[in-house]
Amino acid sequence: MQKMPTKVKIYSILLFAGALGFLIYLLFAARHLSWAHIIFFGFLVWLAESLGIDLPKVGAVSVSFAILFAVILLFDPPTAILVSLFTTVVWRDIKERSSIYKWFVNGSIAVLEAGIASLVYQYSGGFSLLARNGLTYSDFPSILIPLALCAATYFLINTSLVAIAISFLENIPIVNVWLFDMKWLIPNYFALAPLGIIFAQIYVIAGAPGIILIVMPLLVAREAFKVYMRLRDAYADMVKSLVTAIEAKDAYTRGHSERVAKYSEMIARQLKIPEEKIELLKYAALLHDVGKIGVAKRILCKPSQLTMDEYRKVQEHPDLGVSIVKDVEFLKDVIPAIQHHHEQFNGTGYGGGLEGDSIPLVARIVAVADAFDAMTSVRPYRDAMTQLEAAREMRVCIGTQFDVDIVDSLVDALDMEEKLRPQFIEEKSTSMEEGQLTID
Ligand SMILES: [Fe+2]
């Protein structure tokens, strides 16, 4: 079993102590607890979690937050805490057979997020919708502030506490974990909060049968979302098949497309490109050489130098690639990368004769990732360079072959800046000496 870092242990203990103190205080503060409500809503949250659909990145999509939000609005903080704790610790974790550590951490986060959000709602002017027979026109707009503060608090506490745990476990800066794994959840929470208000209102008016009726259309929506996710998987499988077809032609390039996708993603993250564009970039990187399917194997695998005629055939692969994917609707956006990944920054490349910033950004990124992987891989006619040697080589070609920002991003992502610095100092002093010689 993997040894847990000390800071993770300390974090878990602090989290547990905080949650326990909070729970004891709130249980003493509770005037009455309705176990029927706790079990009914606990079951609903568990059902929503069980029917959640896993996402390709982190987590799953479910409406459990909407139900928990409704509980916060309907009841008092102790009830909200117990519903949250009940579903997170008792049901969800038993089902997943989590480790005792995960069980404690999840339970503590459940107590803190539901308890604090519930207190924020009450202290900022919110009231129990069940006690006041629901919301009326006169409650608006003043009720919007406690509602917004409550949803924002729940989101921030949940995502921050989870981000800290991931950061400690995987040694990644907290901000990075939050930005890459959590930030994209904001629209999800904003969309589910109004649904929680509707759940609460319906419960006030029609009780448990009303809630069960409203769950029906949500199940239909869930099926539609599942079909969409299946379609996405089918796209990913199709891209994988095309990549296998490219690599079947040349044993030396096996794994090349995946590595180009990995380096492209690293560059894109350094450049702070939005998440949905990174997804597209990865497809573009995987398929950048799809046109090689149309180039003879004898040319692609030739161990000696290509003739002019053979080189012209190789240069046709961007056009061939575009002709392969152009009729596939979901691959339309990867065309610029396929068409222009052999352009050079000074305009001497091929694929369209573009130069500088007129070369699409995706193509400039794939070009750098492609060259870096080619240099660091074995070829029939040469050994592989080390990553440091390849990075130095690429620095020499900045402005002629490559875009400076993109090469810098790759170097930063590979964390090689420190190792490359002595070379810069050397280059600067050389160029100064050359400058002085010219002046003299
Ligand atoms: Fe290529």
Side-chain angles (χ1 to χ4, degrees):
M1 202 178 138
Q2 210 182 350
K3 200 169 175 281
M4 197 174 292
T6 312
K7 56 184 174 182
V8 177
K9 283 183 194 160
I10 295 170
Y11 177 65
S12 314
I13 292 166
L14 286 177
L15 215 53
F16 181 63
L20 192 66
F22 200 60
L23 189 65
I24 292 167
Y25 164 74
L26 283 173
L27 285 178
F28 275 111
R31 282 182 212 96
H32 61 273
L33 284 173
S34 165
W35 288 100
H37 283 139
I38 293 168
I39 292 170
F40 174 69
F41 281 98
F43 173 72
L44 280 184
V45 180
W46 172 78
L47 193 69
E49 282 286 327
S50 310
L51 294 175
I53 297 170
D54 288 337
L55 291 172
K57 287 191 280 180
V58 190
V61 162
S62 82
V63 292
S64 61
F65 169 67
I67 299 166
L68 266 171
F69 195 57
V71 172
I72 292 172
L73 305 186
L74 285 166
F75 308 106
D76 53 1
T79 307
I81 286 172
L82 287 173
V83 170
S84 182
L85 189 65
F86 191 58
T87 51
T88 309
V89 179
V90 181
W91 279 347
R92 200 199 304 171
D93 278 1
I94 286 176
K95 196 183 121 217
E96 289 179 1
R97 291 167 196 267
S98 303
S99 66
I100 191 84
Y101 158 74
K102 208 176 154 195
W103 196 73
F104 273 119
V105 168
N106 282 344
S108 305
I109 292 176
V111 166
L112 291 168
E113 65 194 12
I116 297 174
S118 185
L119 283 177
V120 165
Y121 173 68
Q122 303 227 326
Y123 281 101
S124 60
F127 50 82
S128 158
L129 298 198
L130 198 61
R132 291 264 293 262
N133 279 327
L135 292 170
T136 59
Y137 274 118
S138 60
D139 295 320
F140 289 92
S142 59
I143 193 69
L144 291 175
I145 294 170
L147 288 173
L149 284 175
C150 175
T153 305
Y154 189 99
F155 170 74
L156 282 175
I157 291 178
N158 175 285
T159 54
S160 308
L161 295 180
V162 174
I164 293 170
I166 296 175
S167 153
F168 285 167
L169 273 172
E170 296 181 11
N171 249 334
I172 307 169
I174 296 166
V175 179
N176 287 14
V177 177
W178 197 87
L179 286 176
F180 297 144
D181 291 342
M182 310 289 167
K183 199 182 87 177
W184 65 278
L185 287 167
I186 294 174
N188 196 34
Y189 273 76
F190 268 100
L192 288 176
L195 187 63
I197 300 169
I198 293 168
F199 277 155
Q201 281 287 85
I202 287 177
Y203 189 75
V204 170
I205 298 162
I211 292 283
I212 291 163
L213 278 177
I214 200 174
V215 165
M216 300 296 174
L218 287 176
L219 289 174
V220 176
R222 177 184 179 270
E223 280 311 303
F225 188 70
K226 249 178 101 172
V227 170
Y228 163 73
M229 292 305 286
R230 242 182 267 144
L231 202 63
R232 253 183 84 118
D233 288 345
Y235 289 160
D237 289 344
M238 181 184 155
V239 170
K240 267 187 222 153
S241 305
L242 282 169
V243 170
T244 311
I246 305 162
E247 296 187 349
K249 289 208 116 178
D250 184 358
Y252 276 96
T253 59
R254 200 148 291 158
H256 170 70
S257 306
E258 272 87 5
R259 290 191 300 271
V260 174
K262 186 186 88 182
Y263 294 133
S264 298
E265 186 181 357
M266 286 164 74
I267 295 167
R269 293 206 186 283
Q270 283 292 325
L271 290 170
K272 305 224 174 341
I273 287 176
E275 204 58 41
E276 64 279 7
K277 289 196 175 159
I278 293 182
E279 194 70 19
L280 199 69
L281 173 68
K282 275 155 66 183
Y283 278 147
L286 283 169
L287 292 173
H288 71 282
D289 270 343
V290 67
K292 284 190 177 169
I293 292 173
V295 180
K297 192 171 178 174
R298 135 190 101 70
I299 300 175
L300 290 178
C301 301
K302 191 176 174 186
S304 53
Q305 196 155 12
L306 299 180
T307 63
M308 277 310 287
D309 200 38
E310 287 166 339
Y311 188 54
R312 262 194 294 275
K313 287 268 183 255
V314 171
Q315 285 186 327
E316 285 171 8
H317 80 270
D319 291 334
L320 283 169
V322 172
S323 66
I324 289 170
V325 302
K326 72 176 188 328
D327 294 325
V328 184
E329 181 60 35
F330 94 102
L331 290 178
K332 279 212 157 57
D333 293 329
V334 307
I335 288 176
I338 295 174
Q339 179 73 67
H340 299 290
H341 71 277
H342 282 289
E343 305 285 4
Q344 297 200 2
F345 208 68
N346 62 5
T348 58
Y350 62 89
L354 302 183
E355 66 177 300
D357 291 342
S358 64
I359 305 167
L361 180 65
V362 277
R364 277 179 276 151
I365 294 175
V366 172
V368 167
D370 188 18
F372 185 75
D373 185 63
M375 283 191 253
T376 51
S377 306
V378 179
R379 285 288 181 272
Y381 43 88
R382 61 156 172 80
D383 289 334
M385 283 185 192
T386 65
Q387 289 199 338
L388 198 59
E389 286 166 348
R392 282 193 179 128
E393 195 77 17
M394 293 187 84
R395 278 250 151 101
V396 174
C397 301
I398 278 173
T400 51
Q401 195 173 345
F402 306 117
D403 181 335
V404 59
D405 292 338
I406 293 168
V407 174
D408 281 349
S409 300
L410 178 66
V411 167
D412 288 341
L414 291 165
D415 202 18
M416 292 195 302
E417 198 53 60
E418 284 300 317
K419 290 173 195 154
L420 285 169
R421 196 160 291 156
Q423 185 209 356
F424 280 148
I425 295 163
E426 202 179 298
E427 274 170 9
K428 268 185 191 157
S429 63
T430 315
S431 62
M432 270 177 73
E433 279 164 21
E434 280 168 1
Q436 280 162 0
L437 277 173
T438 316
I439 292 162
D440 285 342

